[in-house]
């Protein structure tokens, strides 16, 4: 790596120092070299496409040095952030720029910084504040061969998840300078990633043992989780839609170490990790309000950030009150639900965010909420139910594999003191079915569960027997289902067969899968009342 250069011009020593840092682009890090030049003159200049936050770093660096008892050099300072054609955003360059200035002024040994990657925001009192995206920066540091990394103390545990890089968490600028000069001893932060992952995995705040009744709905949720299928819950207020949705992560398969690392990277970039956070050990559960904007849902903005669908990557995206979301917001879901990635394209940048999530939506059956209720009459005027349902477009509804109606729980079931089946028991069956799918798709690197199958794989792995095909034909003709619904039924039937330990998709599996397409009935919303129906 290049060392500082000394030149003497007109009895003035010109000193160039280089400090290595990184910037976040998408969910990955881009290496940035902070070059600090001390020369004859008095002005302070930052070049390399800095944004306003970077330009304002002069006041933070000046005050931090003064409060730390360090001399700010009275000379011309030029700081270049390379590569110069990539915009630099945020305050994470404060610490590397301060160290670059000190190295150019020979307050620290610039040559000793060659093995370090540095990031951190400076407070006016010299404290080092946490920054976003430290985990992808640490991963990039390992890729580029840096042996050590200096980060804010609050981000040290997060960065220490990455092995083969010594992570030093610093409290303030004075401590950092003392450490680099050898006068202060700081031990690297060490995290046993696999042990911590093992200890914290499988801990949930909610459990299905607390849910009374609703056996048919629990079965539908088990099928959805076993195959990674999207599901829509339709029921009157108080029937338990949100309660059961919040318990879905407790029956999903546990995160693998690779999935946990990828998920944590996304939350690190978005600044969603708390102080001292390590790897995320449970699948994310995101539940944005129905007033969310399209940009907040898919990501992007003037400073690109992951949206809710990317924060739900490898987990659950729960949309409560589904029809209340603006039509423009719901329609942006169609492409990521299908492709499991979202590409945000703007005039100045293009970013790819992963978006492999399980969509769980819930809604009332009508505006008043009591359509189809066994005891309360629906007060909506004629046509209101169909109009309410039309807020969700047909193409989006087609992409939801299971559509389930939820009946209210009877008093005897609510008063039952016996605990219901636990999440652990359901999860064991889900994991067993997922293992079957992993073995089935071991030669398909992009396919991990039945919901991700394409048309070729559906015909190879999910084609039913003659009786099942006949039953599917009758249902398709009776309800005028689309070709996409045809594929969805076969995918769900394949998952049901996996739960049943059946290598073949049989008529009973097809029948149950058809029963999970309640909203495809042409009669839905055309009558004033009808009993809730769910497959047994």
């Amino acid at each position: 790596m290049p060392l500082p250069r000394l030149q003497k011009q007109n009895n003035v020593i010109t000193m160039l120092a280089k400090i290595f840092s990184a910037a976040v682009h998408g969910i990955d890090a881009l290496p940035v070299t902070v070059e600090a030049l001390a020369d004859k003159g008095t002005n302070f200049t930052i070049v390399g496409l800095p944004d306003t936050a970077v330009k304002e770093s002069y006041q933070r660096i000046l005050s931090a040095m003064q409060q730390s008892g360090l001399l700010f050099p009275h000379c011309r300072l030029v700081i270049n952030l390379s590569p110069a054609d990539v915009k630099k955003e945020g305050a994470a360059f404060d610490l590397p720029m301060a160290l670059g200035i000190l190295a150019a002024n020979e307050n620290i040994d610039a040559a000793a910084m060659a093995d370090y990657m540095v990031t951190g925001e400076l407070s006016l009192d010299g404290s080092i504040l946490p920054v976003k995206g430290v985990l992808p920066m640490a991963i990039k540091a390992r890729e580029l061969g840096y042996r050590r990394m200096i980060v804010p103390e609050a981000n040290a545990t997060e960065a220490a998840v990455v092995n083969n890089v010594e992570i030093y968490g610093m409290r303030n600028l004075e401590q950092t300078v003392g450490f680099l000069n050898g006068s202060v001893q700081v031990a690297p932060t060490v995290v046993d990633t696999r042990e911590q992952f093992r200890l914290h995995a499988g801990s949930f705040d909610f459990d299905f043992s607390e849910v009374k009744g609703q056996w048919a709905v629990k079965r539908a949720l088990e099928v959805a989780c076993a195959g990674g299928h999207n599901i829509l819950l339709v029921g009157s207020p108080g029937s338990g839609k949100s309660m059961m949705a919040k318990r879905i992560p407790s029956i999903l398969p546990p995160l693998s170490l690779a999935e946990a690392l990828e998920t944590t990277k996304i939350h690190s970039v978005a600044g969603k990790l708390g102080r001292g956070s390590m790897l995320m050990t449970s699948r994310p559960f995101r539940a944005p309000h129905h007033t969310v904007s399209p940009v907040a849902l898919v990501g992007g903005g003037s400073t690109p950030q992951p949206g809710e669908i990317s924060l739900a990557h490898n987990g659950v995206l729960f949309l409560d009150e589904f029809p209340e979301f603006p039509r423009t917001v719901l329609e942006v879901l169609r492409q990521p639900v299908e492709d499991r990635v979202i590409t945000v394209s703007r005039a100045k940048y293009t970013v790819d965010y992963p978006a492999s999530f399980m969509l769980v939506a819930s809604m009332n059956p009508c505006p008043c909420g009591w359509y189809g209720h066994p005891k309360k009459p629906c007060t909506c005027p004629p046509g209101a139910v169909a109009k309410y349902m039309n807020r969700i477009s047909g193409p989006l509804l087609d992409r939801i594999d299971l559509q389930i109606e939820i009946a209210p729980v009877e008093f005897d079931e609510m008063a039952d003191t016996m605990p219901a089946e636990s999440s652990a028991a359901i999860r064991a069956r889900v994991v067993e079915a997922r293992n079957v799918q992993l073995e089935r798709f071991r030669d398909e690197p992009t396919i991990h569960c039945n919901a991700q199958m394409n048309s070729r794989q559906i015909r190879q792995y999910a084609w039913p027997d003659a009786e099942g095909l006949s039953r599917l034909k009758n249902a398709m003709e009776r309800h005028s289902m689309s070709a996409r619904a045809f594929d969805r039924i076969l995918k769900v039937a394949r998952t049901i067969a996996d739960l049943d330990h059946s290598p073949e998709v049989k008529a009973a599996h097809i029948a149950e899968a058809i029963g999970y397409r309640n909203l495809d009935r042409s009669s839905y919303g055309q009558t004033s009342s009808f009993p809730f129906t769910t497959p047994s």
Side-chain angles (χ1 to χ4, degrees):
M1 293 184 179
L3 297 176
R5 290 187 292 111
L6 287 171
Q7 283 185 315
K8 195 166 185 180
Q9 299 177 352
N10 300 325
N11 297 321
V12 176
I13 294 179
T14 301
M15 184 72 177
L16 174 64
K18 294 188 177 183
I19 306 294
F20 302 99
S21 187
V24 175
H25 182 73
I27 63 167
D28 296 312
L30 176 74
V32 173
T33 302
V34 179
E35 299 175 322
L37 176 69
D39 199 356
K40 182 181 179 180
T42 57
N43 62 328
F44 181 91
T45 307
I46 301 176
V47 297
L49 285 184
D51 72 346
T52 303
V54 179
K55 292 177 181 177
E56 291 174 345
S57 62
Y58 170 74
Q59 298 296 338
R60 294 191 295 271
I61 294 172
L62 176 62
S63 177
M65 285 188 180
Q66 291 173 343
Q67 296 298 319
S68 303
L70 300 168
L71 179 64
F72 190 90
H74 297 287
C75 62
R76 175 173 173 261
L77 289 170
V78 179
I79 294 178
N80 178 43
L81 305 176
S82 176
D85 59 344
V86 176
K87 189 172 184 179
K88 317 304 184 305
E89 299 173 325
F93 298 107
D94 286 1
L95 182 58
M97 284 194 291
L99 294 180
I101 292 170
L102 291 170
N105 200 40
E106 299 184 290
N107 292 114
I108 59 175
D109 184 4
M113 296 298 300
D115 286 338
Y116 287 89
M117 180 177 279
V118 184
T119 186
E121 176 184 347
L122 287 176
S123 176
L124 294 181
D125 64 358
S127 302
I128 301 177
L129 305 178
V131 296
K132 300 178 182 178
V134 168
L135 180 57
M137 292 181 193
I139 294 172
K140 179 59 67 174
R142 182 177 61 182
E143 290 177 2
L144 297 176
Y146 293 103
R147 297 166 50 200
R148 302 177 180 90
M149 189 173 181
I150 294 176
V151 302
E153 189 177 48
N155 295 123
T157 309
E158 175 189 339
V161 167
V162 180
N163 55 13
N164 299 326
V165 180
E166 293 182 2
I167 304 298
Y168 296 93
M170 299 296 176
R171 292 189 302 275
N172 52 55
L173 181 59
E174 183 180 6
Q175 181 192 30
T176 306
V177 174
F179 168 73
L180 293 172
N181 286 332
S183 60
V184 176
Q185 297 298 316
V186 178
T189 302
V190 178
V191 172
D192 188 339
T193 305
R194 295 185 181 276
E195 179 64 17
Q196 293 296 327
F197 187 73
R198 183 188 66 82
L199 289 175
H200 293 91
S203 177
F204 302 99
D205 295 329
F206 305 104
D207 195 280
F208 268 99
S209 62
E210 303 155 353
V211 179
K212 304 295 184 181
Q214 303 293 11
W215 306 110
V217 183
K218 291 179 184 177
R219 166 65 176 178
L221 293 175
E222 179 181 335
V223 171
C225 292
H229 303 287
N230 304 320
I231 185 169
L232 173 62
L233 306 175
V234 184
S236 55
S239 57
K241 304 184 295 294
S242 300
M243 178 183 66
M244 285 186 281
K246 290 177 181 177
R247 286 159 174 77
I248 288 177
S250 68
I251 63 173
L252 284 170
L255 284 169
S256 67
L257 200 56
E259 287 177 327
L261 188 63
E262 185 180 31
T263 305
T264 308
K265 276 176 61 178
I266 298 171
H267 286 250
S268 173
V269 170
K272 301 297 183 181
L273 296 180
R275 183 186 179 94
S277 297
M278 291 180 289
L279 278 181
M280 296 179 63
T281 56
S282 59
R283 295 186 179 272
F285 181 87
R286 304 296 300 182
H289 192 259
H290 59 76
T291 56
V292 66
S293 69
V295 172
L297 192 65
V298 304
S302 57
T303 301
Q305 289 287 307
E308 290 291 337
I309 62 174
S310 294
L311 293 171
H313 180 63
N314 291 326
V316 176
L317 177 67
F318 177 48
L319 302 183
D320 200 6
E321 304 296 342
F322 201 38
E324 302 301 326
F325 283 79
R327 186 71 170 251
T328 54
V329 172
L330 292 181
E331 291 307 299
V332 301
L333 285 172
R334 288 164 55 177
Q335 181 260 332
V337 163
E338 202 73 26
D339 299 339
R340 299 183 181 272
V341 66
I342 181 71
T343 300
V344 179
S345 298
R346 300 291 185 266
K348 296 182 179 179
Y349 65 86
T350 298
V351 181
D352 290 330
Y353 291 119
S356 181
F357 57 88
M358 177 180 168
L359 175 63
V360 179
S362 70
M363 59 179 289
N364 294 329
C366 67
C368 78
W370 305 115
Y371 175 70
H373 195 278
K375 296 180 181 180
K376 294 186 178 182
C378 175
T379 59
C380 298
V385 177
K387 184 178 179 180
Y388 185 70
M389 290 301 304
N390 285 338
R391 295 185 186 181
I392 308 170
S393 68
L396 179 58
L397 203 58
D398 268 353
R399 287 170 165 82
I400 300 178
D401 302 353
L402 293 88
Q403 306 155 4
I404 305 300
E405 292 170 300
I406 303 180
V409 181
E410 298 294 336
F411 176 81
D412 290 342
E413 292 179 316
M414 287 189 290
D416 188 1
T417 57
M418 291 293 293
E421 187 178 30
S422 68
S423 292
I426 302 173
R427 191 185 206 188
R429 296 193 296 268
V430 169
V431 170
E432 190 175 357
R434 282 289 184 102
N435 288 336
V436 172
Q437 296 165 47
L438 289 174
E439 176 63 22
R440 175 183 299 135
F441 303 123
R442 64 183 182 276
D443 297 326
E444 306 275 358
T446 60
I447 306 296
H448 307 290
C449 58
N450 290 333
Q452 298 173 346
M453 288 192 293
N454 56 34
S455 297
R456 175 186 61 81
Q457 292 154 347
I458 289 173
R459 278 150 183 79
Q460 181 177 356
Y461 301 116
W463 204 251
D465 57 19
E467 183 183 354
L469 196 61
S470 175
R471 184 168 293 190
L472 179 56
K473 177 183 177 182
N474 292 336
M476 293 285 295
E477 292 176 348
R478 185 183 309 120
H479 301 303
S480 301
M481 294 181 181
S482 67
R484 185 176 282 111
F486 174 83
D487 283 351
R488 301 283 171 176
I489 290 172
L490 290 179
K491 290 180 182 180
V492 173
R494 177 66 269 175
T495 300
I496 296 170
D498 290 339
L499 287 168
D500 199 27
H501 304 97
S502 172
E504 299 176 353
V505 177
K506 301 178 181 178
H509 306 142
I510 291 291
E512 184 176 352
I514 293 171
Y516 293 134
R517 302 290 300 185
N518 287 357
L519 300 189
D520 282 336
R521 293 194 307 265
S522 58
S523 61
Y524 189 91
Q526 303 302 316
T527 58
S528 60
S529 180
F530 69 93
F532 282 88
T533 57
T534 50
S536 60

